């Protein structure tokens, strides 16, 4: 196999979208909204993918650009983008939240093998965009092929016509020249590509690029993403500021809901509420419900997390929490039509299906993508404690009650009216702090001290003691006592029955495309097969001031036609004249 020649045909397919490169720091966020007037401020998104047709079980690679819809310039107002994959009935088969702290962001997700062969719609929006017409969201149709479902479910019209894939030329005056270091390549051979961009005057152009190389049978002729401004009049999306339900997420994911009385179902106003993420680091936030019983908290965690929302007063326990959904449930826009496979590409598609199966089979032995693990933030909101006890440094005792009595300094227990309480001794003036301290277990306020005292000490890793008065937001604590378990999961403890505890999906984990390298003889002669359907994906390629960019990748074990797709921006791209 390695001795066979590998002819790679790469017609250049230049796509036109609204990306751009801009230098300097972003404007002050509140100022930008103020200057545009909150009534007129609009956001716009554009979404790109590495290709158009996927096989179930494969990875979809995507990139999202954020723009000011009026000026068509990049913006960095909203830091969260909501992305959904809708079927033709409008039902979301995939939902992710993408943390985009710059003017663009990229990620990827896997297609479930339960999906049927059909067209699906990717739609993207921000929280602020929910206030306006859904047709202003960003959309892109992708096709999904499930080779394991019955052929009777896949319709192929007898009069279906096919067209050859031809490249699109950009109409913004920027021209591209793409050159390869060779005309013919063998298997697992390095390909070096040079790109040069020039403006309409022939001068070098500096711009941002998204680049993918995939099999031509998995690309459609028209790959352009689209968004609402292309399909409806801007005069139809007016909204009354008093009716704005959704705030721009300036610093991260806003979790919001309403606190209600369990008996009357009426909102509870002006009630102190505490939000926490269960874990070894304490990330508590405090909020007083407004006149409508609403509350708002900020969360910037990645992956599935356990969150707890409860009142800050232990004596209020006849309430419940209604959490508002992150994603919208309505579909007031067009949906894609049915999927008809191109009959002229059936042989190539069958080969791609086999390639996908081989790739999935050998996935454990060769990485095609890598999840960038988020580093758990174990830093607590109170910073460094005055005193910290690591139980592994001491002889093991049976319960936390014994640990407090024998090991932990500045902490005592007392009992009143049948309930246990902690008291802290101030390190500053050696007096007992009058009020009860804030007691946390795995970052979560916990009021049943008796349960804590009965905990097995073998499951506790550390106890933090902050034995001094602490001011946080509008709260004043007579010290903080934090019990951190080895699992950090608040196991075997029962919260108050009214407390809201739920698994909550945070941001999508960062995913990085891995392009195999065969730069040594041992790697080139490896017996692990390479049948990638997408050879290369780079969402962050940039032409320099001289208008050039260079990248490299390795061919696979499979001969075929591939399309090099360059998606560029035409708005506010800097050009050197």
């Amino acid at each position: 196999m390695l001795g066979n020649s590998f002819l790679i045909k790469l017609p250049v397919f230049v796509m036109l979208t609204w990306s751009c490169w801009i230098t300097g720091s972003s404007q002050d966020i509140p100022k930008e909204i103020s200057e545009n007037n909150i009534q007129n401020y609009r956001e716009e998104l554009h979404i790109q993918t590495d290709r158009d047709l996927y096989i179930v079980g494969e990875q979809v690679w995507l990139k999202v650009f954020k723009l000011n819809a009026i000026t068509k310039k990049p913006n960095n107002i909203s830091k969260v983008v909501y992305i959904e994959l809708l079927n033709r009935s409008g039902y979301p088969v995939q939902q992710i939240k993408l943390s985009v702290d710059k003017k663009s962001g990229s990620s990827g997700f896997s297609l479930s093998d339960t999906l049927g062969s059909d067209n699906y719609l990717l739609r993207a929006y921000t929280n602020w965009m929910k206030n306006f017409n859904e047709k202003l969201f960003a959309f892109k149709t992708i096709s999904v092929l499930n080779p394991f479902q019955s052929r009777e479910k896949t319709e192929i019209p007898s009069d279906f016509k096919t067209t050859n894939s031809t490249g699109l030329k950009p109409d913004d005056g920027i021209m591209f020249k793409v050159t390869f270091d060779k005309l013919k390549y063998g298997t697992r051979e390095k390909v070096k590509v040079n790109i040069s961009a020039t403006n309409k005057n022939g001068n070098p152009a500096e711009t941002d690029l998204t680049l993918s190389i995939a099999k031509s049978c998995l690309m459609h002729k028209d790959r352009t993403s689209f968004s609402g401004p292309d399909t409806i009049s801007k005069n139809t999306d007016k909204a009354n500021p008093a009716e704005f339900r959704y705030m721009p997420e300036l610093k991260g994911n806003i979790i919001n809901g309403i606190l209600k009385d369990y008996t009357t179902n009426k909102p509870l106003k002006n009630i102190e509420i505490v939000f926490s993420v269960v874990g070894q680091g304490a990330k508590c936030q405090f909020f007083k419900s407004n006149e409508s019983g609403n509350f708002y908290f900020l969360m910037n965690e990645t992956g599935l997390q356990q969150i707890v929302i409860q009142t800050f007063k232990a004596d209020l326990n006849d309430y419940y929490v209604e959490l508002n959904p992150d994603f919208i449930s309505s579909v007031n826009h067009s949906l894609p039509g049915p999927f008809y496979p191109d009959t002229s590409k059936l042989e190539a598609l069958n080969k791609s299906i086999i390639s996908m199966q081989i790739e999935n089979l050998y996935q454990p032995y060769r990485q095609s993508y890598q999840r960038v693990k988020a580093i758990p933030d174990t830093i607590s909101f109170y910073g460094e404690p005055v005193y910290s006890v690591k139980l592994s440094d001491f002889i093991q005792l049976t319960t936390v009650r014994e640990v407090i009595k024998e090991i932990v300094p500045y902490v005592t227990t007392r009992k009143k009216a049948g309930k246990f309480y902690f008291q802290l001794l101030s390190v500053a003036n050696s007096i007992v702090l009058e009020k009860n301290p804030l007691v946390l277990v795995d970052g979560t306020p916990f009021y049943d001290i008796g349960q804590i005292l009965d905990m097995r000490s073998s499951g506790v890793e550390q106890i933090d003691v902050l034995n001094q008065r602490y001011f946080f937001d509008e709260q004043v604590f007579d010290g903080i006592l934090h019990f951190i378990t080895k699992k950090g999961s608040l196991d075997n403890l029962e919260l108050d029955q009214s407390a809201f505890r739920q698994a909550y999906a945070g941001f999508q984990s960062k995913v990085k495309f891995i392009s195999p390298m065969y730069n040594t003889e041992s790697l080139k002669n490896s017996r692990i097969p390479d049948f990638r359907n997408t050879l290369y994906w780079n969402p962050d390629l940039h032409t320099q001031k001289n208008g050039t960019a260079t990248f490299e990748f390795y061919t696979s074990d499979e001969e075929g036609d591939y399309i090099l797709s360059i998606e560029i921006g035409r708005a506010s791209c800097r050009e050197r004249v």
Side-chain angles (χ1 to χ4, degrees), residues 24 39 41 59 64 88 136 162 166 171 175 223 259 262 295 301 349 359 363 392 416 420 422 424 434-435 486 500 536:
Q39 292 179 310
Y41 179 71
Q59 191 85 356
V64 177
R88 286 200 296 114
L136 296 171
T162 63
T166 57
D171 60 1
M175 300 298 296
R223 298 204 65 228
L259 188 71
Y262 188 82
F295 58 82
E301 310 302 313
L349 289 175
E359 283 294 290
Q363 176 67 32
S392 60
K416 182 179 180 182
F420 288 97
F422 286 118
L424 301 186
E434 296 179 0
K435 298 181 180 179
K486 293 178 179 178
F500 177 90
Y536 185 75

Short mmCIF file of all heavy atoms in Angstrom, two decimals, residues 24 39 41 59 64 88 136 162 166 171 175 223 259 262 295 301 349 359 363 392 416 420 422 424 434-435 486 500 536:
data_model
loop_
_atom_site.label_atom_id
_atom_site.label_comp_id
_atom_site.label_asym_id
_atom_site.label_seq_id
_atom_site.Cartn_x
_atom_site.Cartn_y
_atom_site.Cartn_z
N GLY A 24 -6.09 45.10 18.12
CA GLY A 24 -6.42 45.97 19.23
C GLY A 24 -7.43 45.33 20.15
O GLY A 24 -8.07 44.34 19.84
N GLN A 39 -32.06 50.17 21.88
CA GLN A 39 -33.18 49.83 21.00
C GLN A 39 -32.70 49.37 19.63
O GLN A 39 -33.36 48.58 18.97
CB GLN A 39 -34.10 51.03 20.84
CG GLN A 39 -34.85 51.41 22.11
CD GLN A 39 -35.72 52.63 21.88
OE1 GLN A 39 -35.27 53.65 21.36
NE2 GLN A 39 -36.97 52.52 22.27
N TYR A 41 -29.42 48.24 18.97
CA TYR A 41 -28.28 47.33 18.97
C TYR A 41 -28.70 45.94 18.53
O TYR A 41 -29.67 45.38 19.01
CB TYR A 41 -27.63 47.27 20.34
CG TYR A 41 -26.46 46.32 20.36
CD1 TYR A 41 -25.28 46.65 19.70
CD2 TYR A 41 -26.56 45.09 20.99
CE1 TYR A 41 -24.21 45.76 19.68
CE2 TYR A 41 -25.49 44.20 20.98
CZ TYR A 41 -24.33 44.55 20.32
OH TYR A 41 -23.29 43.66 20.29
N GLN A 59 -17.34 13.42 13.47
CA GLN A 59 -17.24 14.68 14.17
C GLN A 59 -17.58 15.83 13.22
O GLN A 59 -17.11 15.87 12.08
CB GLN A 59 -15.81 14.87 14.70
CG GLN A 59 -15.64 16.02 15.66
CD GLN A 59 -15.98 15.63 17.09
OE1 GLN A 59 -16.42 14.52 17.35
NE2 GLN A 59 -15.78 16.56 18.02
N VAL A 64 -17.79 29.87 14.61
CA VAL A 64 -18.81 30.91 14.67
C VAL A 64 -18.14 32.27 14.75
O VAL A 64 -17.18 32.46 15.51
CB VAL A 64 -19.72 30.71 15.91
CG1 VAL A 64 -20.73 31.84 16.01
CG2 VAL A 64 -20.45 29.39 15.82
N ARG A 88 -35.73 17.84 10.58
CA ARG A 88 -36.66 18.52 9.68
C ARG A 88 -38.01 18.81 10.32
O ARG A 88 -38.82 19.53 9.75
CB ARG A 88 -36.84 17.71 8.40
CG ARG A 88 -35.64 17.79 7.48
CD ARG A 88 -35.95 17.42 6.05
NE ARG A 88 -36.37 16.04 5.91
CZ ARG A 88 -37.59 15.66 5.53
NH1 ARG A 88 -38.52 16.55 5.26
NH2 ARG A 88 -37.87 14.37 5.42
N LEU A 136 -33.42 35.97 12.26
CA LEU A 136 -32.14 36.68 12.30
C LEU A 136 -31.02 35.82 12.89
O LEU A 136 -29.89 36.29 13.01
CB LEU A 136 -32.29 37.97 13.13
CG LEU A 136 -33.25 39.00 12.55
CD1 LEU A 136 -33.48 40.13 13.55
CD2 LEU A 136 -32.72 39.56 11.26
N THR A 162 -27.53 16.05 -11.05
CA THR A 162 -26.32 16.36 -10.31
C THR A 162 -25.56 17.46 -11.01
O THR A 162 -25.71 17.69 -12.21
CB THR A 162 -25.41 15.14 -10.18
OG1 THR A 162 -24.98 14.75 -11.49
CG2 THR A 162 -26.14 13.99 -9.53
N THR A 166 -17.95 23.31 -8.37
CA THR A 166 -17.07 24.34 -8.91
C THR A 166 -16.80 25.38 -7.85
O THR A 166 -17.64 25.64 -7.00
CB THR A 166 -17.69 25.02 -10.14
OG1 THR A 166 -18.96 25.58 -9.77
CG2 THR A 166 -17.88 24.02 -11.27
N ASP A 171 -16.31 38.09 -4.02
CA ASP A 171 -16.72 39.33 -4.68
C ASP A 171 -16.34 40.57 -3.88
O ASP A 171 -16.89 41.63 -4.08
CB ASP A 171 -18.23 39.33 -4.93
CG ASP A 171 -19.03 39.21 -3.65
OD1 ASP A 171 -18.41 39.14 -2.57
OD2 ASP A 171 -20.27 39.19 -3.73
N MET A 175 -8.37 38.36 -3.98
CA MET A 175 -8.09 37.20 -4.81
C MET A 175 -7.07 36.30 -4.12
O MET A 175 -6.17 36.79 -3.44
CB MET A 175 -7.55 37.64 -6.18
CG MET A 175 -8.51 38.53 -6.96
SD MET A 175 -10.07 37.70 -7.35
CE MET A 175 -9.49 36.38 -8.42
N ARG A 223 -21.86 26.14 -0.43
CA ARG A 223 -21.50 25.91 0.97
C ARG A 223 -21.71 27.12 1.84
O ARG A 223 -21.37 27.12 3.00
CB ARG A 223 -20.02 25.51 1.08
CG ARG A 223 -19.66 24.24 0.38
CD ARG A 223 -18.41 23.64 1.02
NE ARG A 223 -18.66 23.24 2.40
CZ ARG A 223 -17.87 23.54 3.41
NH1 ARG A 223 -16.81 24.30 3.24
NH2 ARG A 223 -18.15 23.12 4.63
N LEU A 259 -38.18 32.23 41.97
CA LEU A 259 -38.40 31.59 43.27
C LEU A 259 -39.87 31.74 43.62
O LEU A 259 -40.42 32.84 43.59
CB LEU A 259 -37.51 32.26 44.33
CG LEU A 259 -37.48 31.60 45.71
CD1 LEU A 259 -36.71 30.29 45.65
CD2 LEU A 259 -36.84 32.54 46.72
N TYR A 262 -44.25 27.48 47.76
CA TYR A 262 -44.73 26.15 47.43
C TYR A 262 -46.25 26.04 47.61
O TYR A 262 -46.92 25.30 46.88
CB TYR A 262 -44.03 25.12 48.31
CG TYR A 262 -44.32 23.69 47.92
CD1 TYR A 262 -43.62 23.08 46.89
CD2 TYR A 262 -45.31 22.96 48.60
CE1 TYR A 262 -43.89 21.76 46.52
CE2 TYR A 262 -45.58 21.64 48.24
CZ TYR A 262 -44.87 21.06 47.20
OH TYR A 262 -45.14 19.76 46.84
N PHE A 295 -34.24 35.68 39.71
CA PHE A 295 -32.84 35.71 40.15
C PHE A 295 -31.95 35.45 38.95
O PHE A 295 -32.37 34.88 37.93
CB PHE A 295 -32.58 34.67 41.24
CG PHE A 295 -32.91 33.26 40.83
CD1 PHE A 295 -32.01 32.50 40.08
CD2 PHE A 295 -34.11 32.68 41.18
CE1 PHE A 295 -32.30 31.20 39.70
CE2 PHE A 295 -34.42 31.38 40.80
CZ PHE A 295 -33.52 30.64 40.04
N GLU A 301 -18.54 27.30 33.92
CA GLU A 301 -17.96 25.97 34.02
C GLU A 301 -18.13 25.21 32.71
O GLU A 301 -19.00 25.51 31.89
CB GLU A 301 -18.64 25.18 35.15
CG GLU A 301 -18.73 25.93 36.47
CD GLU A 301 -17.39 26.38 36.99
OE1 GLU A 301 -16.46 25.57 37.00
OE2 GLU A 301 -17.26 27.55 37.39
N LEU A 349 -19.46 7.66 -1.97
CA LEU A 349 -20.08 7.70 -0.65
C LEU A 349 -19.91 6.36 0.07
O LEU A 349 -19.66 6.32 1.28
CB LEU A 349 -21.55 8.06 -0.76
CG LEU A 349 -21.88 9.51 -1.15
CD1 LEU A 349 -23.38 9.69 -1.34
CD2 LEU A 349 -21.37 10.48 -0.09
N GLU A 359 -12.03 4.14 10.56
CA GLU A 359 -11.55 5.17 11.48
C GLU A 359 -12.10 4.95 12.89
O GLU A 359 -11.36 5.05 13.88
CB GLU A 359 -11.95 6.55 10.97
CG GLU A 359 -11.10 7.07 9.83
CD GLU A 359 -9.67 7.32 10.26
OE1 GLU A 359 -9.42 8.27 11.03
OE2 GLU A 359 -8.79 6.54 9.87
N GLN A 363 -10.00 4.14 16.21
CA GLN A 363 -9.95 5.39 16.96
C GLN A 363 -9.18 5.27 18.28
O GLN A 363 -8.40 6.16 18.63
CB GLN A 363 -11.38 5.89 17.22
CG GLN A 363 -11.47 7.14 18.08
CD GLN A 363 -10.90 8.35 17.39
OE1 GLN A 363 -10.98 8.47 16.19
NE2 GLN A 363 -10.33 9.25 18.16
N SER A 392 -5.10 13.83 55.79
CA SER A 392 -4.09 12.80 55.55
C SER A 392 -2.83 13.02 56.38
O SER A 392 -2.01 12.11 56.52
CB SER A 392 -3.73 12.76 54.06
OG SER A 392 -3.21 14.01 53.64
N LYS A 416 -28.19 23.87 70.50
CA LYS A 416 -29.25 24.73 70.99
C LYS A 416 -30.57 24.26 70.40
O LYS A 416 -30.68 24.11 69.19
CB LYS A 416 -28.98 26.19 70.62
CG LYS A 416 -30.02 27.17 71.13
CD LYS A 416 -29.67 28.58 70.75
CE LYS A 416 -30.70 29.57 71.25
NZ LYS A 416 -30.38 30.96 70.85
N PHE A 420 -27.33 21.41 66.18
CA PHE A 420 -25.90 21.71 66.35
C PHE A 420 -25.51 22.94 65.55
O PHE A 420 -26.07 23.22 64.48
CB PHE A 420 -25.06 20.51 65.91
CG PHE A 420 -25.12 19.35 66.84
CD1 PHE A 420 -25.99 18.29 66.60
CD2 PHE A 420 -24.31 19.31 67.97
CE1 PHE A 420 -26.05 17.21 67.45
CE2 PHE A 420 -24.36 18.22 68.83
CZ PHE A 420 -25.24 17.17 68.58
N PHE A 422 -21.81 25.55 64.65
CA PHE A 422 -20.37 25.78 64.78
C PHE A 422 -20.15 27.20 65.28
O PHE A 422 -20.90 28.13 64.94
CB PHE A 422 -19.67 25.62 63.43
CG PHE A 422 -19.52 24.20 62.99
CD1 PHE A 422 -20.13 23.76 61.81
CD2 PHE A 422 -18.77 23.28 63.73
CE1 PHE A 422 -19.99 22.45 61.39
CE2 PHE A 422 -18.65 21.97 63.32
CZ PHE A 422 -19.26 21.55 62.14
N LEU A 424 -16.68 29.95 65.74
CA LEU A 424 -15.28 30.15 65.44
C LEU A 424 -14.66 31.12 66.43
O LEU A 424 -15.29 32.10 66.84
CB LEU A 424 -15.11 30.68 64.01
CG LEU A 424 -15.66 29.81 62.87
CD1 LEU A 424 -15.28 30.40 61.52
CD2 LEU A 424 -15.14 28.38 62.97
N GLU A 434 -19.68 36.09 67.27
CA GLU A 434 -21.03 35.98 67.81
C GLU A 434 -21.97 35.16 66.92
O GLU A 434 -22.69 34.29 67.40
CB GLU A 434 -21.62 37.38 68.02
CG GLU A 434 -20.88 38.20 69.06
CD GLU A 434 -21.49 39.58 69.23
OE1 GLU A 434 -22.49 39.86 68.53
OE2 GLU A 434 -20.97 40.36 70.04
N LYS A 435 -21.96 35.43 65.64
CA LYS A 435 -22.92 34.79 64.74
C LYS A 435 -22.36 33.49 64.18
O LYS A 435 -21.16 33.23 64.23
CB LYS A 435 -23.31 35.74 63.62
CG LYS A 435 -23.99 37.01 64.11
CD LYS A 435 -24.37 37.91 62.94
CE LYS A 435 -25.06 39.18 63.43
NZ LYS A 435 -25.42 40.08 62.31
N LYS A 486 -13.20 14.05 49.40
CA LYS A 486 -12.27 13.52 48.41
C LYS A 486 -12.89 13.48 47.02
O LYS A 486 -12.21 13.71 46.02
CB LYS A 486 -11.79 12.14 48.83
CG LYS A 486 -10.92 12.16 50.08
CD LYS A 486 -10.49 10.76 50.50
CE LYS A 486 -9.61 10.82 51.75
NZ LYS A 486 -9.20 9.46 52.20
N PHE A 500 -32.87 23.38 45.39
CA PHE A 500 -32.85 22.96 43.99
C PHE A 500 -31.47 22.42 43.66
O PHE A 500 -30.48 23.15 43.71
CB PHE A 500 -33.19 24.15 43.09
CG PHE A 500 -33.15 23.86 41.62
CD1 PHE A 500 -34.27 23.41 40.94
CD2 PHE A 500 -31.99 24.05 40.89
CE1 PHE A 500 -34.24 23.15 39.58
CE2 PHE A 500 -31.93 23.80 39.52
CZ PHE A 500 -33.07 23.34 38.88
N TYR A 536 -7.96 17.69 6.92
CA TYR A 536 -7.37 18.84 7.63
C TYR A 536 -8.48 19.84 7.95
O TYR A 536 -9.40 20.06 7.16
CB TYR A 536 -6.30 19.48 6.75
CG TYR A 536 -5.53 20.60 7.40
CD1 TYR A 536 -4.56 20.34 8.36
CD2 TYR A 536 -5.76 21.93 7.05
CE1 TYR A 536 -3.83 21.37 8.95
CE2 TYR A 536 -5.04 22.97 7.63
CZ TYR A 536 -4.08 22.69 8.59
OH TYR A 536 -3.38 23.70 9.18
#
